[in-house]
Amino acid sequence: MNGTRFTKGHALGNDYIVIDRADLTDDLSPAQAVKLCDRHLGAGSDGVLLADLANSPVSLRIINPDGTEAEKSGNGLRILGAYLHHRGAVATGEWFDVRLIGDVVEMRVEQSDRGVVIVRVRMGSARFDGEPGRLLDLGDGLAAHVDTLSVGNPHCVVFVPELERADFLMRAPRLCTHDAFARGTNVQFARATGTQQIEAWIWERGAGETTASGSSACAVAAAAVRRQLVVPGSVTIHMPGGSLNVTVSEDYEIEMVGPAQLVYEAEIINELTT
């Protein structure tokens, strides 16, 4: 990766490294992604966005900090939108497509102000798995009532009367790697605080706790609509890093809008080593 240029960006504190596939002589290996994401030995991030701008539409691979690959990332998509806008590849107000592993999403840059880019993403439809509130045994006397669904990647939502940190740190990692989820899952602990307001904490598959997650916000909103905790329409999801607006239709089509910001551009000058 010697000489490879990259861009660092974040969406509500959930940070990603963006690399143009054209700047790589070889494909990015899982081991290289792990080293690049390391906050002490590399650039530090919650993942890598590997974008192929030569394709039409632009294709995107999302690599987690443990080297595994994610199907979709709402925050990653918004950071990519900011990156494409910065490079002049897309204009404000122009819809464009991004191809993921198993999906194509429509996106639009709504506005840009002092480096903060507001990006809208049509995330597709939520697909639910099983009945809401089914019980999972977590071992050691722990259990959780979960709502499981996909918004292009897997999610497990736990609605709680109060968000308690010790409880979250004990149960969320166990749910993330539970045997019920063959490839792991993203976990959200959430509580409705109003008719269109939800507070949520995030434990991401392959990354651990994050300040925010776009796809998690979408999953929480869809699950809350299904549970009739909120009504269809615009729902604000409040996360530690900030808030996202998610619109959920009556048939669970989801649209998300929120900020992303590029922080810096840099170049890898030596091979990353442990």
Side-chain angles (χ1 to χ4, degrees), residues 12 19 22 26 51 54 81 110-111 117 127 168 194 219 244 248-249 269:
L12 302 178
I19 298 177
D26 297 304
E110 300 282 272
Q111 66 182 66
V117 183
R127 299 185 301 277
F168 173 74
L244 277 178
V248 183
S249 70
I269 61 172

Side-chain angles (χ1 to χ4, degrees), residues 26-274:
D26 297 304
D27 201 9
L28 183 71
S29 72
Q32 288 173 323
V34 169
K35 292 173 182 177
L36 190 56
C37 291
D38 190 290
R39 296 192 182 276
H40 300 287
L41 305 176
S45 74
D46 288 323
V48 178
L49 305 175
L50 187 57
D52 193 339
L53 277 61
N55 283 343
S56 182
V58 170
S59 63
L60 178 67
R61 290 178 56 206
I62 304 163
I63 315 297
N64 292 320
D66 67 352
T68 59
E69 195 158 350
E71 303 91 342
K72 183 180 280 188
S73 164
N75 283 351
L77 284 165
R78 296 203 319 281
I79 292 168
L80 176 67
Y83 175 80
L84 295 174
H85 188 263
H86 173 70
R87 293 188 54 156
V90 299
T92 302
E94 169 190 334
W95 285 103
F96 60 96
D97 291 342
V98 174
R99 183 178 300 280
L100 301 167
I101 294 174
D103 197 3
V104 176
V105 297
E106 289 184 290
M107 297 172 51
R108 182 174 71 189
V109 173
E110 300 282 272
Q111 66 182 66
S112 178
D113 182 26
R114 292 178 292 182
V116 178
V117 183
I118 305 300
V119 183
R120 184 178 298 275
V121 184
R122 290 174 173 165
M123 293 287 284
S125 60
R127 299 185 301 277
F128 296 96
D129 177 24
E131 293 300 313
R134 66 189 177 102
L135 184 64
L136 284 185
D137 183 356
L138 305 181
D140 298 326
L142 298 174
H145 291 276
V146 302
D147 290 37
T148 53
L149 68 154
S150 171
V151 294
N153 58 348
H155 293 272
C156 172
V157 185
V158 181
F159 289 105
V160 293
E162 295 292 336
L163 288 168
E164 298 177 353
R165 185 144 187 83
D167 175 50
F168 173 74
L169 293 177
M170 185 178 298
R171 292 197 291 164
R174 296 188 184 212
L175 282 166
C176 184
T177 58
H178 195 280
D179 289 344
F181 311 111
R183 300 184 60 210
T185 190
N186 300 289
V187 179
Q188 305 84 33
F189 276 40
R191 71 182 188 104
T193 58
T195 56
Q196 301 302 109
Q197 307 284 327
I198 302 173
E199 185 179 5
W201 291 351
I202 315 299
W203 191 277
E204 284 197 331
R205 178 186 57 169
E209 185 176 11
T210 58
T211 60
S213 167
S215 63
S216 290
C218 293
V220 166
V225 167
R226 189 189 191 204
R227 286 277 202 112
Q228 299 183 339
L229 299 173
V230 298
V231 298
S234 178
V235 181
T236 302
I237 311 297
H238 303 282
M239 296 167 286
S243 301
L244 277 178
N245 180 264
V246 178
T247 301
V248 183
S249 70
E250 292 185 355
D251 57 354
Y252 301 106
E253 287 289 325
I254 303 171
E255 192 167 284
M256 168 193 66
V257 62
Q261 185 170 19
L262 303 183
V263 181
Y264 62 82
E265 295 177 329
E267 181 179 316
I268 300 169
I269 61 172
N270 290 304
E271 289 300 320
L272 297 169
T273 59
T274 55

